[in-house]
Amino acid sequence: GKLRNVSTSLLEEGAVVKSMNWGQYGCSESNYVYVDSRLEKIHVRQKEHVESVFSDFDVNFKYESGELVSIINVFPNGYEEQRFP
């Protein structure tokens, strides 16, 4: 077979702080932001190999009373895409 995707993650105190992915068609880097050991945001940079610039967006996690209630992708132009629920 042919290798298609490679991923690596960096950990600090048992939590993922950065992940990097390289695939057949593109690559991405994700930086994880925690507040009091709770994941609040992931800043994602991604691009296809044929492109020269990365696109950026944030994945925001919202909690109520300690329970995850939503995951929303937020793009620089203000567009939001709800991922959960």
Side-chain angles (χ1 to χ4, degrees):
K2 179 175 151 184
L3 182 63
R4 294 188 56 173
N5 296 302
V6 176
S7 297
T8 187
S9 296
L10 302 175
L11 303 173
E12 286 183 10
E13 298 179 11
V16 175
V17 293
K18 179 179 276 196
S19 63
M20 294 162 283
N21 300 289
W22 185 270
Q24 182 175 358
Y25 301 108
C27 60
S28 69
E29 175 183 295
S30 300
N31 292 293
Y32 295 69
V33 178
Y34 297 87
V35 174
D36 297 327
S37 72
R38 182 172 65 186
L39 182 60
E40 293 287 326
K41 180 186 291 189
I42 304 171
H43 181 74
V44 180
R45 300 184 72 225
Q46 63 185 14
K47 75 176 194 77
E48 293 183 8
H49 295 308
V50 296
E51 300 295 324
S52 59
V53 292
F54 283 84
S55 62
D56 295 78
F57 67 93
D58 290 328
V59 181
N60 293 336
F61 298 80
K62 297 191 186 220
Y63 302 86
E64 288 180 9
S65 302
E67 295 292 321
L68 180 65
V69 294
S70 71
I71 302 173
I72 301 173
N73 290 354
V74 180
F75 296 86
N77 65 1
Y79 175 74
E80 294 185 357
E81 179 180 83
Q82 188 160 343
R83 303 294 307 265
F84 171 83

